[in-house]
C-alpha cells in the first residue's frame, strides 16, 4: 500500500507541474487544435524532455548552480521572454490560417515544430527551473514528505495524513507518469472539443498567443528588473 501511495503522490506532483495554465500548455493547445492530437503530444513530449533534463541536472547538482548566479537567471528569463513573444506571433498567424484547419488526425496547415518550441521554452522557463530547485530537489533527496501539510490554511490540520518516501524510484516514476498522463490527455481532450465546436481551434490559437505574449512581456520585465538591480 505504501508503494501505491508513493506512486500516486508522484503522479499528483507530475500533474501539478504539467497542468496549470502557462506557456507550455499554450504551445500544446495551439499544436493540438491546429495540427491534431499527435502534434499536441509531440509538443508535450518536448516539455517532458526538458523535465527529464532538469531531473538529471538536479540529480548531479548542476541545477543548484543557477541559484548562485543571478546574472545567469536574468539572462535565462530574458531569453525565455523573447522566445515567448516570437512564438506568440506564430500562434496568432496560425489562428488566421484556417477557421477549421484540422479534420481528424490529418493536418492541413504547415507542419508544426511543437516539440522544439516546447523544449526550448521549458529549458528557459524560470518557473520550471525554480520547481527543480525547490520541490524537485526535495523529491530526489532520501527522506519523507508530508504532502498535505504543504497546503495553505488547512495544511496544519492535515499534517501526517499523507506521508510519502522521497528519493525513491517509485516517486520519480509516478512523477513522470503524471506528466505523461497530462501530455496525452490534454491534446486528446482539445481535439475532441475542436471537432464539436467549429470556432474552437481559432479561439484556442488566439488564447495561446495571448498567454505566450503575456508571459513574454512579464519575463522581459522580470529580467530587466533583475539585471538593473545587479547593475545598480
Amino acid at each position: 500500500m505504501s508503494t501505491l501511495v508513493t506512486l500516486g503522490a508522484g503522479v499528483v506532483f507530475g500533474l501539478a507541474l504539467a497542468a496549470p495554465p502557462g506557456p507550455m500548455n499554450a504551445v500544446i493547445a495551439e499544436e493540438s487544435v491546429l495540427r491534431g492530437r499527435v502534434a499536441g503530444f509531440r509538443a508535450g513530449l518536448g516539455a517532458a524532455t526538458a523535465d527529464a533534463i532538469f531531473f538529471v541536472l538536479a540529480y548531479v547538482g548542476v541545477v543548484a548552480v543557477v541559484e548562485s548566479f543571478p546574472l545567469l537567471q536574468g539572462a535565462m528569463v530574458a531569453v525565455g521572454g523573447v522566445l515567448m513573444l516570437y512564438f506568440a506571433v506564430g500562434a496568432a498567424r496560425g489562428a488566421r490560417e484556417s477557421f477549421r484547419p484540422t479534420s481528424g488526425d490529418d493536418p492541413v496547415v504547415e507542419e508544426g515544430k511543437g516539440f522544439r518550441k516546447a523544449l526550448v521554452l521549458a529549458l528557459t522557463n524560470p518557473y520550471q527551473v525554480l520547481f527543480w530547485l525547490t520541490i524537485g530537489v526535495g523529491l530526489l533527496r532520501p527522506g519523507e514528505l508530508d504532502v498535505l501539510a504543504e497546503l495553505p490554511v488547512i495544511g496544519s490540520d492535515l499534517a501526517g495524513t499523507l506521508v510519502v518516501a522521497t528519493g525513491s524510484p517509485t516517486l520519480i516514476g509516478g512523477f513522470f507518469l503524471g506528466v505523461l498522463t497530462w501530455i496525452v490527455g490534454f491534446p486528446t481532450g482539445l481535439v475532441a472539443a475542436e471537432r464539436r465546436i467549429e470556432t474552437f481551434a481559432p479561439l484556442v490559437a488566439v488564447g495561446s498567443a495571448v498567454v505566450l505574449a503575456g508571459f513574454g512581456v512579464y519575463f522581459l520585465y522580470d529580467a530587466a528588473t533583475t539585471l538593473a538591480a545587479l547593475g545598480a
Side-chain angles (χ1 to χ4, degrees), residues 157-178:
D157 296 328
L158 297 176
T161 304
L162 180 58
V163 179
V164 298
T166 57
S168 69
T170 302
L171 185 65
I172 301 303
F175 173 85
F176 282 102
L177 178 60

Side-chain angles (χ1 to χ4, degrees), residues 98-211:
S98 174
F99 199 67
R100 191 178 179 83
T102 57
S103 179
D105 295 327
D106 300 323
V108 295
V109 295
E110 65 177 4
E111 183 180 354
K113 300 176 181 178
F115 179 90
R116 189 186 311 169
K117 287 196 294 186
L119 175 62
V120 171
L121 284 177
L123 290 175
T124 56
N125 185 354
Y127 294 136
Q128 215 144 337
V129 176
L130 181 62
F131 173 88
W132 285 105
L133 281 171
T134 53
I135 298 175
V137 172
L139 295 179
L140 293 172
R141 290 174 178 166
E144 291 184 339
L145 178 65
D146 194 338
V147 178
L148 300 181
E150 302 299 323
L151 295 175
V153 183
I154 60 173
S156 58
D157 296 328
L158 297 176
T161 304
L162 180 58
V163 179
V164 298
T166 57
S168 69
T170 302
L171 185 65
I172 301 303
F175 173 85
F176 282 102
L177 178 60
V179 172
L180 180 62
T181 300
W182 179 257
I183 66 176
V184 171
F186 185 45
T188 300
L190 287 172
V191 171
E194 192 271 338
R195 288 173 178 168
R196 291 173 173 80
I197 306 173
E198 186 176 355
T199 59
F200 191 72
L203 286 176
V204 170
V206 170
S208 298
V210 171
V211 170

Side-chain angles (χ1 to χ4, degrees), residues 30 34-35 85-95 97 117 209:
E30 177 200 354
L34 293 180
R35 299 175 180 90
L85 290 177
Y86 174 76
F87 291 139
V89 173
R93 289 175 178 170
E97 286 181 1
K117 287 196 294 186

Side-chain angles (χ1 to χ4, degrees), residues 56-68:
V56 174
L57 295 179
Y59 185 78
V60 299
V62 175
V63 171
V65 174
V66 178
E67 194 175 26
S68 305

